[in-house]
Amino acid sequence: MPAPPEMRTQIASTALLGIIEQAGLGVLTLAENLGRDELLRTRLTRDEVGRQLRILTDSLAALPPDLQKAMPEIDWAGWQRVGLQLMAPRGETQEDALWFAVESLTPALLLWLRVYRRNQPELFKMRG
């Protein structure tokens, strides 16, 4: 018998939160100790950071609205804007979005996810 829709949604949301955390950690690990100019000059690292950020933005966008409302401190609009800007052709807009995500959005996101995991652990647990 298939799982009820609310259980499938909870399982998918929990998996997405795990993907978001892993991608965020990947971004911070790759960009660790790099300044903006150095990151943008290092093609392989820049490209991988961009790939991880796209995974992050796509996963954040896929979270159900009720889960997003349960985490109001996350900058949902900022992540949406950055996601769109990362799809822009390579240039200043994309570079600004990439750096803003690395320097500001990703550290804040991971911090808030830790707070939510501690204060609302049910958001991160698969129920079955």
Side-chain angles (χ1 to χ4, degrees), residues 38 54 59 68 115 122:
E38 189 176 6
R54 284 187 295 282
S59 298
Q68 292 182 19
V115 169
E122 68 278 3

Side-chain angles (χ1 to χ4, degrees), residues 6-123:
E6 59 276 356
M7 184 186 298
R8 287 194 305 268
T9 300
Q10 176 64 35
I11 291 169
S13 295
T14 302
L16 283 169
L17 287 170
I19 291 167
I20 290 164
E21 286 180 316
Q22 289 303 309
L25 289 171
V27 166
L28 295 185
T29 300
L30 288 163
E32 187 174 20
N33 299 322
L34 295 178
R36 176 189 167 106
D37 292 339
E38 189 176 6
L39 174 63
L40 296 175
R41 271 196 317 270
T42 340
R43 187 183 61 78
L44 292 175
T45 302
R46 181 192 63 222
D47 289 350
E48 182 58 19
V49 167
R51 188 181 79 79
Q52 292 293 321
L53 285 170
R54 284 187 295 282
I55 290 169
L56 217 162
T57 58
D58 290 348
S59 298
L60 284 166
L63 287 172
D66 60 322
L67 186 56
Q68 292 182 19
K69 286 180 187 168
M71 297 188 273
E73 286 83 4
I74 293 175
D75 186 356
W76 300 104
W79 278 108
Q80 185 178 26
R81 277 190 307 277
V82 162
L84 292 171
Q85 292 169 334
L86 289 173
M87 293 187 305
R90 194 165 275 164
E92 190 173 340
T93 297
Q94 186 192 58
E95 290 173 355
D96 288 346
L98 184 114
W99 183 247
F100 180 66
V102 166
E103 188 68 10
S104 181
L105 283 178
T106 303
L109 173 67
L110 292 178
L111 173 72
W112 281 114
L113 288 177
R114 278 193 295 273
V115 169
Y116 289 126
R117 185 180 290 282
R118 185 177 62 243
N119 296 336
Q120 298 179 60
E122 68 278 3
L123 298 177

